[in-house]
Amino acid sequence: MIKIKNLHASIDGKEILKGINLEIKAGEVHAIMGPNGSGKSTLSSVLAGREEYEVTEGSVSFDGKDILELSPEDRAREGLFLAFQYPVEIPGVSNINFLKTAINETRAYKGMEPVSAKEFLALVKEKSALVELDSKLANRSVNEGFSGGEKKRNEIFQMAMLEPKLAILDETDSGLDIDALRIVANGVNKLKSPNNATIVITHYQRLLDYIVPDFVHVLYNGKIVKTGGKELALELEEKGYDWIKGEFKV
Amino acid sequence: MTTAELTKKDKFLTVFSSLDFKSEPEHYAQLRKEAEAELLTLDFPTSKTEYWKYTRLGKITNNNFQIGKVEQVDIKPFLIPNLDANLLVVVNGFFMEELSQIASQNGITVSSLSKAKTQNSTVFAKHFNQYTQNKSELFLAINNAFHTDGIYIELAKNTTAEKPYHIINITTENNSISQSRNLFVSSAGSEVKIIESFVNANGSENFINNVTEIYVAENSMVEYNKIQDKKDTNFSISTEQVYQQANSNFAINTATFNGALVRNNLNIEVDASNCETSLSGLYLGKNKDHIDNHTVVDHKKPHCNSFEVYKGILDDESTGVFNGKVFVRQDAQKTNAFQQNNNILLSDNAVMNSKPELEIYADDVKCSHGSTTGQIDDEAIFYLQSRGVGRKSALNLMINAFAKDALEKVTIEALQEYIDAKIEERFA
């Protein structure tokens, strides 16, 4: 589904990603773990198309398309979704209205008719139930006045509405209590299918008890330094990141 | 004396000598004379005049204006769709009876200002010019001395206007000057909603200097909605003097869509207890528009609330000015005053000058004010894009969201829709 080859990226002239190689197939869940500053969030930002980052080398092909050439909105329309580590509050813009715009612009991009009001409302009802998001929240301004847990649930709600092929969850577990974590993880698991894939970026192993990965990659100093099965996450949890740091001293 | 040179102000005032007010009753002629006397002591503000610091008047003071004429104008372009209202039309400061449509209602007097002067009305005489004399503001004094005509609306005790009044105040011609003047009196327990559209039918560099006095008696309610849409080649200075009595409710909503020079002086005197005052404003500047809102709320008595929100979006090389002053006098305990000014600059060359001010002499009050000026939040744009919303739609969503809630206090649905449509049209 996605092939990342020798990806180098920098911000303000400072190189953060130093040659990432990663291939993800449909139906798989990949976890990317790593200490602070290893480049986890940079990787998600580069994939989603954040302007501040400059790709200096390498390629990313998503279902055969070079997505580095696409605008952030076109990447989303192609089926890429980023759940933000810090979801943005947008006063005055209604959650529902903007999602309708997003869905209809995506449909137009694919040459499809806009969604009917009735269909859309049914979709909102179904998907908000999936993440136990109060329908009142769905109607409010985007993330405005939401608690940390509500913001993260809203991310998964949007993901459910947009039905991406590849979802990147950027530290979705950060700041969540165990109940919120369970709700979020449940939502993600219910959305899993043989046709889509998920990248879970996290610092902690905890989330991976709920969203069980097929592969675990350890990112350190801008490179994937270790790849294994879900047991690698447990090993990391036990030995700590110093184990990695010691092994891969720069 | 004969050697004294004419000042710029004297030259400016000569244009009014062609106006003939001889047929007016003595009382009103006298008021004009008093204003002329005050004019002798006043001059054009300069950049050193604090109150006019950010608004240069050269475009007006160096112009050669002629008095605007009575002219038939097609009012269709200025109607608000789906609005069921009484229509009052003023062209270049003159009331146009044949273009107006007024449904008569018991307890409501509606006429031209000039007619009201001749009707021996004690209510009119009591309030007219009562709130505008000797305020040491040149343009106010000019209007006091040389206003032509405008609208008088009076509601008798406990009368609720069935329909809103829509005044269409039109200017025409190049370099014309008009001085319209309104008085609205809502007697105790009455209720009225008024819309005034300040528009331009043709011509550029025309100038309107409008004054509106509003008397809000005990327990009455007045909503005054001002639409300023005179294209970006014309000039407007307008002054509202509002006087509120006990338990009254006054709301003013000002939407300014353009203007080479727009200056609004809004002065509200809250002179009794338990009043509600709301001031809302939205201004959208583009090209070289200059839009200046000066507001004063003067809380003189206890237990009153005032709520003020002005929002601006400035593009290109446009300039915005906001100066909001709230006085809380010593007697005005338990005042609750809120004031906010938020601006978005869409271009590097747009400028906003914002000065919120509180002057508090009472010790048991709740007052807050704030001002923000910034750009559209890039992070929010990226967030919307990352969901599949195109960059342009994302910008529109955000601008519309910012602008639309500025005038949420407008209670006339057709007007609300009209304003929303104009905002959307601007940023489409």
Side-chain angles (χ1 to χ4, degrees), chain B residues 179-198:
Chain B
Q179 296 211 84
S180 50
R181 172 102 181 192
N182 303 318
L183 171 64
F184 309 140
V185 176
S186 71
S187 304
S190 65
E191 189 176 337
V192 65
K193 295 174 185 179
I194 298 165
I195 303 167
E196 185 157 12
S197 302
F198 291 88

Side-chain angles (χ1 to χ4, degrees), chain A residues 50 73 82 105 155 158, chain B residues 379 383 385 387-388 390 393:
Chain A
R50 207 184 270 277
E73 56 266 38
L82 171 65
E105 291 195 7
E155 294 294 287
Q158 293 176 30
Chain B
E379 187 62 19
Y383 186 82
Q385 281 181 290
R387 300 318 186 223
S393 318

